[in-house]
Amino acid sequence: MAKIISIATAVPSHKHEQQQILQFMEQAYGINEEEKRVLRYLYRHSGIDTRYSVIPDYTLPMDNWTFYPKTDNLEPFPGIEQRMQLFRQAAPVLSKEAANKCLEGYLPKEAVTHLITVTCTGLSAPGLEMQLMDLMDLNPAIDRSAVNFMGCYAAVHGLKQAAAIVAAHPDANVLLVCTELCTLHFQKDYTPDAVMAPLLFGDGAAAVLITGDHHNLPGLQLHSFYAEVLRSARQAMSWELGTHGFNMTLSGYVPELIREDFGPLHLRALQQAGLSKAEILFWCIHPGGTRILEALGHCLSLSREDMAASYQVLKQYGNMSSATLLFVLREMWDTLLSYKGAPVFGAAFGPGLTMESMIMKVV
């Protein structure tokens, strides 16, 4: 079976304190004092201390801005072309950093047979997979694919593809790289749904190396996958192209939907894997936000300690879309490897409303 034998992460050089980002947002939105009080409350209770971005402007004085216009209203507001230009410059470099760290000490780059990239924050052709292939000087005949525009759950989808590749080609060595530059897509519309994305999202990249049993190294066996789409909530979370970048809608009732529907889903996932909830020792949960983690804690009867890695990643990095779940897995990695045979339940959520889960076993 396929197994993860290495995992690594990388973040941009610009580290922003959450309370400093708040000051940028108050100015950018052009809101009144009552609206500022609401925004300050949301930022204080976000569960986030710091986030990273390829854009330095969010915590700099206006005179030092390099991406946004040096005007109070940010006009002329950057268009999608300017944002995609920065993605093409920064995403391959950050991806390479995570990929090289992942391979170091495990496998020479020449031994990588398959490359999968995952992103929902940049689109072009040639795409990120080809840009990374060139930047790392990988074999030009490498088997490559791209998972694009699927959102926060896409790392699970990428791992599912990797597992299928290894099942068909037992000697395959698959490099999966999830890179998201979410902060490129700040929109200055002040609405209850639109304000949540700039509150939560940050930039980051994560890479995992998936092999078959021919590598006798400890890791996480990809045991099973299970997903469902909640069609009645299709518009609760959306991600669409706009004139000034990508526009996210994140409804305030998403946590309630997860609270109501994820419990039965996780039982069906366990049943498919032939496991019971009592057998799950570790929980690798995508930290979409504090309310989502609280909703999962309620419906799965999990304590904050059970999801400590998820809360820690949210605190240090915010939500980095598809890369976030792998950051959580990396946070847990050293502890997990001490528990041979232990099942690990992973889950992430995204547009659709899609709920993806996976079960791994420590080997």
Side-chain angles (χ1 to χ4, degrees):
M1 294 183 72
K3 63 178 178 179
I4 299 171
I5 64 170
S6 177
I7 183 168
T9 61
V11 291
S13 59
H14 304 299
K15 181 178 181 179
H16 301 295
E17 300 288 334
Q18 183 78 329
Q19 290 307 305
Q20 288 182 290
I21 298 173
L22 170 62
Q23 296 171 20
F24 176 94
M25 297 300 169
E26 288 178 340
Q27 175 181 330
Y29 289 134
I31 52 181
N32 60 38
E33 283 303 316
E34 182 177 349
E35 291 167 327
K36 286 180 180 179
R37 284 196 295 272
V38 173
L39 195 65
R40 289 165 190 165
Y41 176 86
L42 292 173
Y43 271 73
R44 281 198 307 271
H45 293 83
S46 66
I48 299 169
D49 285 352
T50 54
R51 287 183 279 164
Y52 292 81
S53 175
V54 295
I55 298 174
D57 303 9
Y58 294 114
T59 52
L60 289 177
M62 183 190 297
D63 289 344
N64 296 333
W65 289 357
T66 61
F67 183 76
Y68 292 105
K70 297 173 183 178
T71 58
D72 289 337
N73 62 0
L74 305 186
E75 293 295 342
F77 202 48
I80 194 169
E81 297 90 349
Q82 182 179 344
R83 297 171 196 257
M84 290 301 92
Q85 181 182 14
L86 183 50
F87 183 91
R88 289 192 297 271
Q89 293 170 356
V93 175
L94 194 63
S95 301
K96 179 183 177 182
E97 181 182 348
N100 283 340
K101 287 165 64 176
C102 180
L103 293 175
E104 186 177 4
Y106 290 89
L107 205 69
K109 64 181 183 180
E110 293 79 14
V112 176
T113 60
H114 295 72
L115 173 66
I116 303 172
T117 59
V118 177
T119 190
C120 69
T121 50
L123 290 174
S124 66
L128 180 59
E129 79 286 358
M130 291 189 69
Q131 295 163 345
L132 180 57
M133 181 186 75
D134 291 342
L135 197 59
M136 293 183 67
D137 194 26
L138 297 176
N139 183 346
I142 194 171
D143 193 319
R144 55 185 174 79
S145 59
V147 177
N148 292 327
F149 227 65
M150 295 186 80
C152 295
Y153 64 84
V156 182
H157 195 80
L159 288 170
K160 197 184 303 183
Q161 283 196 8
I165 289 169
V166 171
H169 307 281
D171 292 331
N173 298 311
V174 185
L175 179 63
L176 169 68
V177 184
C178 298
T179 302
E180 303 289 9
L181 306 185
C182 305
T183 65
L184 285 180
H185 299 289
F186 165 65
Q187 304 298 318
K188 59 178 184 168
D189 299 328
Y190 188 78
T191 65
D193 289 348
V195 77
M196 294 309 296
L199 166 72
L200 293 171
F201 284 91
D203 300 350
V208 292
L209 179 58
I210 303 103
T211 71
D213 293 330
H214 60 286
H215 275 284
N216 189 25
L217 291 170
L220 288 174
Q221 187 181 77
L222 298 173
H223 186 264
S224 65
F225 298 89
Y226 184 80
E228 289 184 12
V229 176
L230 190 60
R231 291 191 179 97
S232 61
R234 181 152 291 173
Q235 296 306 313
M237 191 185 300
S238 64
W239 190 227
E240 298 176 347
L241 274 67
T243 303
H244 297 287
F246 300 169
N247 301 319
M248 167 162 272
T249 298
L250 186 59
S251 172
Y253 62 83
V254 168
E256 290 307 311
L257 294 171
I258 292 173
R259 181 191 294 259
E260 292 177 8
D261 292 283
F262 191 75
L265 178 147
H266 108 280
L267 291 177
R268 289 189 284 272
L270 289 171
Q271 183 179 26
Q272 175 184 277
L275 295 169
S276 67
K277 183 176 181 293
E279 294 176 271
I280 302 298
L281 294 187
F282 298 98
W283 299 85
C284 179
I285 304 297
H286 169 67
T290 53
R291 289 184 60 212
I292 286 178
L293 290 176
E294 289 166 359
L296 283 162
H298 179 269
C299 72
L300 299 179
S301 299
L302 298 178
S303 68
R304 190 181 179 100
E305 183 61 28
D306 291 326
M307 297 184 289
S310 298
Y311 277 103
Q312 184 62 24
V313 167
L314 182 66
K315 180 179 180 180
Q316 290 184 296
Y317 304 101
N319 182 345
M320 298 164 286
S321 193
S322 70
T324 320
L325 188 70
L326 300 182
F327 271 70
V328 176
L329 195 58
R330 182 66 192 89
E331 181 77 15
M332 302 170 67
W333 185 259
D334 294 337
T335 299
L336 291 177
L337 295 188
S338 300
Y339 290 81
K340 296 293 183 185
V344 182
F345 192 99
F349 320 92
L353 177 70
T354 305
M355 298 185 285
E356 291 262 2
S357 71
M358 60 181 177
I359 294 174
M360 303 165 282
K361 286 191 175 181
V362 183
V363 292

